[in-house]
Amino acid sequence: MISEHHYFTLLYIWIVLAVVTFPVLLRITAPYGRHTKDTWGPTINNRLGWLLMEAPVVIVFSWFFFTGSATKTIPVYIFFSLFMLHYANRILIFPFRMKTKGKRMPWSIIFLAVFFNFFNGFFNGYWFGTLSPVYNISWLYDPRFIVGVILFFAGMYINVSSDNMLFDLRKGGKTGYYIPTGGLFKYVSSPNLFGEIVEWLGWAIMAWCLPGLSFALWTMANLIPRALDHHRWYHRRFENYPKERKAIIPKVL
Ligand code: NDP
């Protein structure tokens, strides 16, 4: 559909955009979840919003993956399956476990997320569907694959278990916000976001390709500023918030 040359030109632009987005997001708080505002235009039900913003990446990635003519081997099907595993949780489980009845998010956030997800799905789907060199079965024994898989599952475990701890804070019909404890919350305010970064770094390492790296960079550009916003919010909200707790990277940031 597009030549390799054009693909890489677009991909480099996409990576530069991630680098530029990072300092912008350090200044702007994305208004959803605890930071929701009604000054960003019309809003939509929170749960439906999550579905709409995350579903496109699955469709776009799958479309380009399956319609492309590249030789697909077991390692490539593993990359595909792990990507889908994450999004099965994000689309089919996470929104229905959130205890955010009646909450809303701005349509503008949905449009921005769909834009990101479209291009992320395209760059990775087109790569593995059409352009990627063949990953031989021996890739399964390569240290990059092994380290990547370990990081992916460790990150996913941290992400999902930390999200679950947050949901539990509203058990028994409670609403509002509480200081989370347990697990990696001992060290950071947003272990769920930390876990997601580790997950996509792992995915990029196991696939060892530029589009995978671009996704990991975008994840960092989105989630580090969001975690810093969450952290500042906790300190404003709770006078007794643990002083030693960092924002996202244990002992570091
Ligand atoms: P948060 O940690 O802010 O919230 C997760 C859920 O827990 C929400 O339902 C929230 O409710 C609730 N919650 C959070 N803190 C508390 C608290 N102190 N007390 C009670 N309930 C609480 O997550 P984000 O919205 O930042 O992210 C959600 C998930 O989506 C994460 O797993 C993250 O990794 C992922 N994500 C991925 C992105 C990417 O670029 N790949 C971008 C953004 C998110 P409420 O909504 O009412 O605040």
Side-chain angles (χ1 to χ4, degrees):
M1 199 177 86
I2 66 167
S3 70
E4 191 163 342
H5 171 74
H6 284 128
Y7 171 88
F8 275 107
T9 307
L10 288 175
L11 183 56
Y12 289 131
I13 294 172
W14 182 240
I15 289 172
V16 170
L17 200 56
V19 174
V20 172
T21 298
F22 178 66
V24 173
L25 288 181
L26 286 175
R27 281 151 203 262
I28 299 173
T29 301
Y32 62 100
R34 77 192 73 189
H35 311 289
T36 297
K37 279 188 201 152
D38 51 15
T39 50
W40 276 52
T43 57
I44 175 183
N45 171 279
N46 196 43
R47 220 182 289 280
L48 184 58
W50 273 98
L51 280 176
L52 289 179
M53 35 181 206
E54 302 289 14
V57 72
V58 169
I59 298 165
V60 176
F61 188 117
S62 302
W63 170 266
F64 285 106
F65 184 86
F66 287 112
T67 56
S69 59
T71 304
K72 293 171 193 95
T73 53
I74 289 175
V76 176
Y77 282 113
I78 292 176
F79 308 150
F80 179 83
S81 305
L82 294 185
F83 190 98
M84 293 302 155
L85 180 67
H86 171 90
Y87 279 100
N89 172 56
R90 183 64 69 236
I91 296 167
L92 300 175
I93 300 173
F94 172 82
F96 299 98
R97 300 210 58 216
M98 282 193 301
K99 296 189 171 67
T100 57
K101 204 166 164 234
K103 285 206 169 175
R104 303 182 68 80
M105 68 163 77
W107 272 102
S108 46
I109 287 293
I110 313 272
F111 292 133
L112 288 171
V114 168
F115 172 82
F116 161 71
N117 277 324
F118 176 85
F119 281 101
N120 186 38
F122 163 71
F123 282 118
N124 281 288
Y126 197 69
W127 176 256
F128 292 113
T130 301
L131 296 177
S132 150
V134 178
Y135 287 80
N136 291 321
I137 195 79
S138 59
W139 185 252
L140 299 181
Y141 308 108
D142 190 288
R144 288 165 289 186
F145 180 81
I146 295 166
V147 169
V149 168
I150 292 170
L151 283 177
F152 180 88
F153 280 109
M156 189 168 195
Y157 174 77
I158 294 168
N159 176 256
V160 173
S161 60
S162 308
D163 274 343
N164 286 341
M165 286 179 203
L166 289 173
F167 298 147
D168 283 350
L169 292 171
R170 291 181 183 157
K171 249 185 182 167
K174 280 191 278 184
T175 54
Y177 291 94
Y178 309 89
I179 298 178
T181 52
L184 287 186
F185 282 106
K186 188 168 176 224
Y187 304 102
V188 289
S189 297
S190 296
N192 50 345
L193 309 194
F194 171 71
E196 178 131 5
I197 289 175
V198 172
E199 213 178 323
W200 294 118
L201 276 175
W203 197 77
I205 291 170
M206 83 174 82
W208 205 254
C209 61
L210 203 53
L213 177 66
S214 78
F215 184 18
L217 289 176
W218 267 102
T219 304
M220 287 188 264
N222 276 323
L223 295 189
I224 293 173
R226 186 158 176 81
L228 292 170
D229 283 332
H230 286 353
H231 190 65
R232 284 190 286 265
W233 178 94
Y234 273 121
H235 277 282
R236 285 197 303 272
R237 177 102 177 194
F238 299 102
E239 268 178 23
N240 57 337
Y241 195 69
K243 300 258 176 302
E244 68 289 352
R245 201 176 283 189
K246 297 283 184 187
I248 181 161
I249 303 173
K251 311 258 184 222
V252 178
L253 180 68

